[in-house]
Amino acid sequence: VTGEAVFQTGMVGYVESLTDPSYSKQLLTLTYPLVGNYGVPKDEFDEHGLHCHFERDRIYASALIVSDVTHTPSHWRSVRSLHEWMQSQNVPGISGVDTRQLTKHLRSRGCVTGKVVVGDVSDDIIPFEDPNLTNLVSIVSVRSPITYNKGGSPRVIAVDCGMKNNQIRIFIEKGCQLTVVPWDFDVVSIIKDHDAVFMSNGPGDPMMCGKTIANLKKVLELNPPKPVFG
């Protein structure tokens, strides 16, 4: 597989990071030396249909790069190993890498394109691919509007450029009615029934999201104005 090589320095949270749409088409490097020791929890959903442990419904990173991986996890929530979970979703991983040295390289050179090649296959067969030349937001965004906590207040529109479940959960906990719309949705068409607009983060180059930018400009030109944040 090919993608953009990036790094993450957290000691825990590999399950959340791998399912974060912001890491779409990226080769995720973890600097913590031991990964997978608490395994992967089972699929559980809350009353809003949000996954309790994952940030979205699947792994979004193209590959995982670690120093050492545990195949025998120990945690009361664990139902499978990191290896088994990634294998079930056809996501490759590589261990035995000096990830801290790799991270020092990425910090000094900036994020670069890379590829993970398994077995005796020549790496020339797989060309380098820059994911920033693809509109990744259009891939990870919802396809139609979804409203959570109907009747709540304030009423917020969230433009999904790669939203995480925890972001949605926080809005609900604050009592908001949250309407999550696709990245290219015409927000102005429903703005009169809402109080504010939230712009989520997401993967890739923001300049690929021309429709999102155009729609946001229309929101900013409203009179009276509506709060916009992200």
Side-chain angles (χ1 to χ4, degrees):
V1 295
T2 181
E4 182 180 39
V6 299
F7 66 89
Q8 202 250 49
T9 59
M11 295 176 64
V12 295
Y14 54 83
V15 171
E16 292 85 352
S17 295
L18 285 169
T19 54
D20 184 345
S22 294
Y23 287 115
S24 178
K25 299 295 183 180
Q26 293 187 332
L27 311 177
L28 179 58
T29 302
L30 301 181
T31 59
Y32 192 68
L34 181 61
V35 179
N37 52 309
Y38 56 86
V40 178
K42 66 180 180 180
D43 292 312
E44 292 182 290
F45 300 87
D46 63 17
E47 66 271 26
H48 304 289
L50 301 174
H51 203 293
C52 295
H53 310 294
F54 302 163
E55 291 297 351
R56 288 288 272 266
D57 59 340
R58 63 177 178 85
I59 296 176
Y60 280 89
S62 291
L64 182 66
I65 303 170
V66 301
S67 176
D68 191 16
V69 63
T70 299
H71 291 279
T72 54
S74 177
H75 192 277
W76 69 275
R77 286 190 184 276
S78 177
V79 296
R80 53 195 160 176
S81 69
L82 174 61
H83 170 77
E84 291 168 337
W85 181 46
M86 293 180 61
Q87 188 177 47
S88 70
Q89 298 199 29
N90 295 317
V91 177
I94 183 172
S95 62
V97 177
D98 187 344
T99 55
R100 296 188 177 186
Q101 182 61 41
L102 175 57
T103 296
K104 288 174 65 177
H105 177 76
L106 294 175
R107 287 184 64 182
S108 62
R109 295 286 299 275
C111 294
V112 297
T113 54
K115 50 188 169 182
V116 174
V117 181
V118 180
D120 298 327
V121 178
S122 171
D123 60 359
D124 294 331
I125 295 178
I126 305 173
F128 285 103
E129 180 181 337
D130 184 358
N132 291 312
L133 300 179
T134 302
N135 187 351
L136 299 178
V137 168
S138 67
I139 298 174
V140 304
S141 180
V142 296
R143 295 292 178 257
S144 58
I146 305 172
T147 300
Y148 298 93
N149 196 33
K150 290 184 179 180
S153 180
R155 299 160 299 176
V156 179
I157 300 171
V159 181
D160 179 18
C161 295
M163 281 193 80
K164 295 182 276 289
N165 285 338
N166 200 45
Q167 290 175 312
I168 298 173
R169 195 173 287 112
I170 289 173
F171 276 107
I172 295 173
E173 290 174 352
K174 298 298 182 182
C176 299
Q177 173 181 296
L178 186 70
T179 301
V180 180
V181 300
W183 70 282
D184 57 350
F185 188 82
D186 184 8
V187 176
V188 172
S189 66
I190 62 171
I191 194 69
K192 69 179 186 303
D193 298 321
H194 294 81
D195 304 303
V197 178
F198 171 77
M199 301 293 300
S200 83
N201 60 325
D205 185 352
M207 294 307 296
M208 300 298 293
C209 304
K211 292 181 179 179
T212 308
I213 296 171
N215 288 331
L216 182 58
K217 284 181 178 179
K218 292 194 292 183
V219 173
L220 295 174
E221 293 169 354
L222 290 174
N223 188 18
K226 294 278 188 175
V228 177
F229 64 108

Short mmCIF file of all heavy atoms in Angstrom, two decimals, residues 21-22 56 136-138 140-142 158-163 180-184 199-203 209 212:
data_model
loop_
_atom_site.label_atom_id
_atom_site.label_comp_id
_atom_site.label_asym_id
_atom_site.label_seq_id
_atom_site.Cartn_x
_atom_site.Cartn_y
_atom_site.Cartn_z
N PRO A 21 -11.10 9.27 10.67
CA PRO A 21 -11.05 9.57 9.24
C PRO A 21 -9.93 10.53 8.83
O PRO A 21 -9.53 10.56 7.67
CB PRO A 21 -12.43 10.21 8.97
CG PRO A 21 -13.29 9.70 10.06
CD PRO A 21 -12.42 9.58 11.26
N SER A 22 -9.40 11.30 9.79
CA SER A 22 -8.31 12.22 9.48
C SER A 22 -7.06 11.49 9.01
O SER A 22 -6.19 12.07 8.36
CB SER A 22 -7.96 13.08 10.70
OG SER A 22 -9.04 13.93 11.03
N ARG A 56 -15.04 5.89 14.06
CA ARG A 56 -15.98 5.66 12.97
C ARG A 56 -16.18 4.16 12.82
O ARG A 56 -15.80 3.39 13.69
CB ARG A 56 -15.49 6.31 11.66
CG ARG A 56 -15.56 7.83 11.65
CD ARG A 56 -16.98 8.37 11.55
NE ARG A 56 -17.44 8.51 10.19
CZ ARG A 56 -17.36 9.62 9.46
NH1 ARG A 56 -16.82 10.70 9.96
NH2 ARG A 56 -17.82 9.66 8.23
N LEU A 136 -10.19 13.44 -0.38
CA LEU A 136 -10.45 12.42 0.63
C LEU A 136 -11.69 12.72 1.45
O LEU A 136 -12.37 11.82 1.95
CB LEU A 136 -9.23 12.29 1.56
CG LEU A 136 -7.92 11.86 0.88
CD1 LEU A 136 -6.80 11.82 1.92
CD2 LEU A 136 -8.08 10.51 0.20
N VAL A 137 -11.99 14.01 1.61
CA VAL A 137 -13.17 14.40 2.39
C VAL A 137 -14.44 13.83 1.78
O VAL A 137 -15.34 13.37 2.49
CB VAL A 137 -13.25 15.93 2.51
CG1 VAL A 137 -14.60 16.37 3.05
CG2 VAL A 137 -12.14 16.45 3.42
N SER A 138 -14.52 13.82 0.47
CA SER A 138 -15.71 13.29 -0.20
C SER A 138 -15.86 11.79 0.03
O SER A 138 -16.97 11.25 -0.07
CB SER A 138 -15.65 13.58 -1.71
OG SER A 138 -14.59 12.85 -2.32
N VAL A 140 -14.84 10.16 2.99
CA VAL A 140 -15.13 9.85 4.40
C VAL A 140 -16.40 10.52 4.91
O VAL A 140 -16.92 10.14 5.97
CB VAL A 140 -13.95 10.24 5.31
CG1 VAL A 140 -12.67 9.57 4.84
CG2 VAL A 140 -13.75 11.75 5.36
N SER A 141 -16.93 11.49 4.19
CA SER A 141 -18.10 12.24 4.67
C SER A 141 -19.38 11.40 4.58
O SER A 141 -19.48 10.48 3.76
CB SER A 141 -18.27 13.52 3.84
OG SER A 141 -19.39 14.26 4.27
N VAL A 142 -20.36 11.74 5.40
CA VAL A 142 -21.66 11.08 5.32
C VAL A 142 -22.31 11.39 3.97
O VAL A 142 -21.97 12.39 3.31
CB VAL A 142 -22.61 11.53 6.46
CG1 VAL A 142 -22.07 11.10 7.80
CG2 VAL A 142 -22.83 13.04 6.43
N ALA A 158 -23.45 20.51 11.61
CA ALA A 158 -22.05 20.08 11.56
C ALA A 158 -21.73 19.62 10.15
O ALA A 158 -22.33 18.66 9.66
CB ALA A 158 -21.79 18.97 12.56
N VAL A 159 -20.80 20.31 9.49
CA VAL A 159 -20.37 19.91 8.15
C VAL A 159 -19.32 18.82 8.31
O VAL A 159 -18.23 19.06 8.85
CB VAL A 159 -19.82 21.11 7.37
CG1 VAL A 159 -19.40 20.68 5.97
CG2 VAL A 159 -20.86 22.23 7.28
N ASP A 160 -19.66 17.62 7.85
CA ASP A 160 -18.81 16.46 8.06
C ASP A 160 -17.71 16.39 7.01
O ASP A 160 -17.92 15.92 5.90
CB ASP A 160 -19.66 15.19 8.02
CG ASP A 160 -18.82 13.93 8.20
OD1 ASP A 160 -17.69 14.05 8.68
OD2 ASP A 160 -19.32 12.84 7.87
N CYS A 161 -16.52 16.84 7.42
CA CYS A 161 -15.34 16.68 6.57
C CYS A 161 -14.47 15.54 7.08
O CYS A 161 -13.33 15.36 6.63
CB CYS A 161 -14.54 17.98 6.54
SG CYS A 161 -15.41 19.37 5.77
N GLY A 162 -15.00 14.79 8.02
CA GLY A 162 -14.27 13.69 8.64
C GLY A 162 -14.49 13.67 10.14
O GLY A 162 -13.56 13.44 10.92
N MET A 163 -15.75 13.88 10.56
CA MET A 163 -16.07 13.97 11.99
C MET A 163 -15.81 12.67 12.72
O MET A 163 -15.98 11.58 12.17
CB MET A 163 -17.54 14.37 12.20
CG MET A 163 -17.82 15.83 12.02
SD MET A 163 -19.46 16.27 12.64
CE MET A 163 -19.15 16.38 14.40
N VAL A 180 -25.75 16.52 11.22
CA VAL A 180 -24.51 16.28 10.48
C VAL A 180 -24.83 16.20 8.99
O VAL A 180 -25.68 15.40 8.58
CB VAL A 180 -23.83 14.98 10.96
CG1 VAL A 180 -22.54 14.74 10.18
CG2 VAL A 180 -23.54 15.05 12.45
N VAL A 181 -24.18 17.05 8.20
CA VAL A 181 -24.48 17.11 6.76
C VAL A 181 -23.22 16.77 5.96
O VAL A 181 -22.10 16.91 6.45
CB VAL A 181 -25.00 18.51 6.37
CG1 VAL A 181 -26.28 18.84 7.13
CG2 VAL A 181 -23.94 19.58 6.60
N PRO A 182 -23.40 16.33 4.70
CA PRO A 182 -22.24 16.01 3.86
C PRO A 182 -21.36 17.23 3.61
O PRO A 182 -21.78 18.37 3.75
CB PRO A 182 -22.89 15.52 2.55
CG PRO A 182 -24.26 15.08 2.95
CD PRO A 182 -24.68 15.99 4.06
N TRP A 183 -20.14 16.96 3.21
CA TRP A 183 -19.13 18.00 2.99
C TRP A 183 -19.56 19.06 1.97
O TRP A 183 -19.18 20.22 2.07
CB TRP A 183 -17.82 17.35 2.53
CG TRP A 183 -17.91 16.78 1.13
CD1 TRP A 183 -18.50 15.60 0.77
CD2 TRP A 183 -17.43 17.36 -0.08
NE1 TRP A 183 -18.42 15.40 -0.58
CE2 TRP A 183 -17.76 16.47 -1.13
CE3 TRP A 183 -16.75 18.54 -0.38
CZ2 TRP A 183 -17.43 16.73 -2.46
CZ3 TRP A 183 -16.42 18.81 -1.71
CH2 TRP A 183 -16.76 17.90 -2.73
N ASP A 184 -20.38 18.66 0.98
CA ASP A 184 -20.78 19.58 -0.10
C ASP A 184 -22.22 20.05 0.04
O ASP A 184 -22.81 20.58 -0.91
CB ASP A 184 -20.58 18.91 -1.46
CG ASP A 184 -21.36 17.60 -1.59
OD1 ASP A 184 -21.90 17.11 -0.57
OD2 ASP A 184 -21.43 17.07 -2.72
N MET A 199 -17.67 23.39 11.66
CA MET A 199 -16.88 22.80 10.58
C MET A 199 -15.91 21.79 11.19
O MET A 199 -15.06 22.15 12.00
CB MET A 199 -16.09 23.88 9.83
CG MET A 199 -16.95 24.97 9.21
SD MET A 199 -17.99 24.36 7.86
CE MET A 199 -16.76 23.72 6.73
N SER A 200 -16.04 20.53 10.81
CA SER A 200 -15.14 19.52 11.37
C SER A 200 -13.80 19.52 10.63
O SER A 200 -13.67 20.07 9.55
CB SER A 200 -15.78 18.13 11.28
OG SER A 200 -15.57 17.56 10.00
N ASN A 201 -12.83 18.89 11.26
CA ASN A 201 -11.56 18.66 10.57
C ASN A 201 -11.69 17.42 9.70
O ASN A 201 -12.74 16.77 9.69
CB ASN A 201 -10.43 18.50 11.59
CG ASN A 201 -10.67 17.32 12.51
OD1 ASN A 201 -11.80 17.03 12.88
ND2 ASN A 201 -9.61 16.63 12.89
N GLY A 202 -10.62 17.08 8.99
CA GLY A 202 -10.69 15.92 8.12
C GLY A 202 -9.37 15.69 7.40
O GLY A 202 -8.39 16.40 7.63
N PRO A 203 -9.34 14.70 6.53
CA PRO A 203 -8.09 14.31 5.85
C PRO A 203 -7.81 15.13 4.59
O PRO A 203 -8.69 15.77 4.04
CB PRO A 203 -8.36 12.86 5.49
CG PRO A 203 -9.83 12.85 5.18
CD PRO A 203 -10.44 13.80 6.19
N CYS A 209 -11.58 20.84 -1.33
CA CYS A 209 -12.99 20.96 -0.91
C CYS A 209 -13.58 22.28 -1.39
O CYS A 209 -14.05 23.11 -0.58
CB CYS A 209 -13.10 20.85 0.61
SG CYS A 209 -12.40 19.34 1.29
N THR A 212 -17.21 22.96 -0.31
CA THR A 212 -17.31 23.31 1.12
C THR A 212 -16.94 24.77 1.34
O THR A 212 -17.62 25.49 2.08
CB THR A 212 -16.38 22.41 1.96
OG1 THR A 212 -16.63 21.05 1.64
CG2 THR A 212 -16.60 22.64 3.44
#
